[in-house]
């Protein structure tokens, strides 16, 4: 096999685990160590994604509902379906419903088709939004929280 054998449970090209991370007293999940799912170029995934804090789409993902902290769609990547995240960066294409409770960045190569909801929006020159954009406001959030407390 070119490049030698691959150990079971490892991902080619992935960084090896850093020994002593927990022994050093650091938190188990630093931002760089979030539970991350990367769907690589040429890979197509359909179905449900659970417990991923960060989703990186370089290939194609079709899902009915994903909740994560962060979504990144790389150039050439495609996400179809519904996703709710804190922050999203779109350099590829998203077709469906995107809710970014924090910020949404549409890069120059990015396309958002369908419905996008966000608190903060940044669109680079060349970025495209086709469909509906809804801004999440503090007033709307306060109203929904007080309605739930009644």
């Amino acid at each position: 096999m070119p490049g030698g054998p691959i150990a079971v449970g490892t991902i080619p090209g992935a960084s090896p685990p850093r020994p002593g991370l927990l022994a050093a007293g650091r938190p188990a999940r630093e931002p760089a160590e979030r539970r991350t799912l990367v769907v690589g170029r040429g890979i197509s995934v359909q179905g449900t994604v659970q417990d991923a804090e960060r989703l990186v789409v370089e290939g194609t993902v079709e899902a009915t509902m994903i909740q994560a902290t962060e979504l990144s769609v790389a150039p050439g990547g495609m996400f179809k379906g519904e996703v709710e995240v804190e922050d999203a960066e779109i350099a590829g294409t998203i077709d469906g419903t995107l809710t970014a409770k924090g910020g949404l960045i549409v890069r120059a190569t990015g396309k958002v088709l369908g419905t996008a909801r966000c608190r903060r929006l940044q669109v680079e020159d060349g970025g495209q939004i086709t469909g509906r954009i809804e801004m999440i406001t503090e007033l709307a959030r306060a109203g929904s929280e007080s309605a739930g407390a009644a």
Side-chain angles (χ1 to χ4, degrees), residues 43-114:
I43 305 290
S44 181
V45 174
Q46 289 182 321
T48 304
V49 175
Q50 295 180 334
D51 301 325
E53 292 175 296
R54 186 166 182 263
L55 176 60
V56 179
V57 180
E58 297 172 350
T60 302
V61 173
E62 291 186 45
T64 51
M65 181 57 185
I66 290 180
Q67 290 186 322
T69 303
E70 187 180 332
L71 171 68
S72 177
V73 181
M78 165 70 91
F79 180 93
K80 293 181 183 181
E82 185 173 350
V83 62
E84 183 175 305
V85 295
E86 286 299 318
D87 296 298
E89 181 176 344
I90 311 301
T93 303
I94 183 162
D95 185 356
T97 302
L98 165 65
T99 301
K101 296 180 206 171
L104 168 59
I105 299 172
V106 181
R107 297 292 181 198
T109 56
K111 293 180 185 177
V112 177
L113 311 171

Side-chain angles (χ1 to χ4, degrees), residues 14-58:
S15 300
R18 294 187 303 196
L21 181 63
L22 293 175
R26 294 187 194 157
R29 266 186 269 203
E30 295 177 2
E33 308 242 341
R34 289 187 188 159
R35 291 183 307 241
T36 301
L37 173 63
V38 178
V39 178
R41 281 191 207 296
I43 305 290
S44 181
V45 174
Q46 289 182 321
T48 304
V49 175
Q50 295 180 334
D51 301 325
E53 292 175 296
R54 186 166 182 263
L55 176 60
V56 179
V57 180
E58 297 172 350

